[in-house]
Amino acid sequence: MMKALWTALFLLTLQFFTAQENEVYANGIFGFEENKNQKVFTDWTRVRKEPDVSAQITDSLQTNSQVMILKKEEKILKLGERRANWYKISYQKGSVASEGYVWGGNLCVGYRNKNGYDFLFGLSKTIDKKSKELNTTEKQNIAGVKVMQGNMLLDEVYFDTGREEELSYATFDIESNHKLQNVELTLKAMVSGEACGIASYDQYILFKDKKLIALPQLMNVGDADVFYHSEEYIFPNDKGGIPNAFIFKTEEMEKDDKDREKKKRSSKIYLWDGNSYKLK
């Protein structure tokens, strides 16, 4: 009797943990507020009759289409390393107003408008990427930034971004030209995790002559007071900046067994000629 009871308890515990492992949580960056406008990132995003990938397709929306988030559905779809809720939306095409459901992973995680241009930031896909150091293949999310004029795509750039635990939140901002010759403005796209030891990634993109130029990506990570690794750019308009260049600075700190801080600093200079950059 006792043996049967223990067996039953073991099976229940096993089922509980299996259910926990199989439970899918949405990435925080795809958490959109209800009754707020949002933009479509993925071209020809499918609008469905129900919040399900097998539901009837009722329409499709082009990149930069504006939608209103009506309701966040409980159902979550995972594609590659992207996990997002379905959303009930309303939108307008000409004089016709419609409603339907779209997958949140197809929407922008940030968008901005400046000087008549729309800048869109989103996650486009997951790829298999080989690690040279570990000789293994791992999943890697690819993010993108597009510049649009109305429904016309002018340019787009793509870059690596966070994995699952690193996609808690995102920011997307327009900054000055940082006194870089011929640059109209600078975009900064960031994704980050919330826990200690989870990296955040900063992607700077220069905008000039209707073109986007992605700079080498910055990564920052730390764990309380034990260690940190930080990367930043010093632009010409920053303290310590130099004309026609930007400085890539790295600082690392790690505490030893006696709780003493050991710091390492390094830097390298990228020259900017008004059109492109190169390592000095």
Side-chain angles (χ1 to χ4, degrees), residues 86-254:
W86 287 87
Y87 288 89
K88 185 177 184 180
I89 62 160
S90 65
Y91 60 96
Q92 194 138 346
K93 279 188 174 180
S95 60
V96 180
S98 304
E99 291 185 2
Y101 295 88
V102 295
W103 181 55
N106 287 332
L107 300 177
C108 293
V109 297
Y111 62 92
R112 291 285 182 267
N113 176 276
K114 182 88 171 177
N115 301 343
Y117 301 107
D118 289 312
F119 300 97
L120 313 177
F121 172 35
L123 267 68
S124 61
K125 60 183 177 179
T126 304
I127 62 167
D128 289 322
K129 190 169 185 181
K130 287 185 178 178
S131 169
K132 293 177 183 176
E133 295 84 9
L134 302 174
N135 198 26
T136 57
T137 300
E138 53 189 25
K139 300 289 184 186
Q140 173 67 60
N141 283 315
I142 301 297
V145 168
K146 302 178 182 182
V147 55
M148 312 278 300
Q149 263 188 322
N151 59 6
M152 185 189 298
L153 176 66
L154 299 180
D155 199 13
E156 56 192 331
V157 291
Y158 291 91
F159 44 90
D160 293 352
T161 194
R163 293 173 181 82
E164 290 184 83
E165 70 277 10
E166 296 159 344
L167 300 179
S168 295
Y169 64 94
T171 60
F172 188 47
D173 298 302
I174 291 177
E175 299 184 356
S176 72
N177 66 359
H178 291 295
K179 291 190 177 176
L180 289 168
Q181 183 187 352
N182 296 340
V183 173
E184 187 173 336
L185 54 86
T186 306
L187 301 162
K188 182 184 178 184
M190 185 276 286
V191 296
S192 178
E194 287 180 323
C196 288
I198 304 297
S200 66
Y201 299 91
D202 294 333
Q203 180 65 58
Y204 281 90
I205 300 160
L206 307 180
F207 180 58
K208 67 172 293 289
D209 302 330
K210 300 184 180 181
K211 294 290 182 186
L212 299 170
I213 301 166
L215 303 187
Q217 196 172 58
L218 305 177
M219 189 271 285
N220 292 276
V221 65
D223 189 359
D225 294 327
V226 181
F227 79 93
Y228 66 78
H229 172 96
S230 69
E231 298 175 351
E232 66 172 334
Y233 283 129
I234 306 298
F235 290 109
N237 64 328
D238 293 324
K239 186 180 178 181
I242 54 178
N244 305 317
F246 52 94
I247 305 166
F248 181 101
K249 291 186 75 172
T250 302
E251 181 172 300
E252 292 180 346
M253 186 281 289
E254 189 173 0

Side-chain angles (χ1 to χ4, degrees), residues 53-104:
V53 74
S54 59
Q56 179 188 338
I57 298 168
T58 59
D59 205 348
S60 64
L61 296 170
Q62 290 179 281
T63 298
N64 206 29
S65 298
Q66 184 167 285
V67 301
M68 168 70 78
I69 302 289
L70 298 178
K71 186 186 176 190
K72 181 183 190 175
E73 299 294 324
E74 292 298 317
K75 193 161 189 180
I76 293 168
L77 172 66
K78 179 179 179 182
L79 287 181
E81 294 295 283
R82 297 174 296 159
R83 305 187 309 273
N85 295 78
W86 287 87
Y87 288 89
K88 185 177 184 180
I89 62 160
S90 65
Y91 60 96
Q92 194 138 346
K93 279 188 174 180
S95 60
V96 180
S98 304
E99 291 185 2
Y101 295 88
V102 295
W103 181 55

Side-chain angles (χ1 to χ4, degrees), residues 18-31:
T18 303
Q20 292 283 91
E21 284 179 11
N22 293 335
E23 199 167 350
V24 178
Y25 296 94
N27 302 127
I29 61 170
F30 299 122

Side-chain angles (χ1 to χ4, degrees), residues 10 13 16 33 43-44 77 122 143 158 167 199 212 220 225 247 262 268 272:
F10 173 75
T13 305
F16 172 77
E33 288 185 50
D43 210 13
W44 303 110
L77 172 66
Y158 291 91
L167 300 179
L212 299 170
N220 292 276
D225 294 327
I247 305 166
K262 287 189 173 181
K268 51 188 175 183
W272 173 255

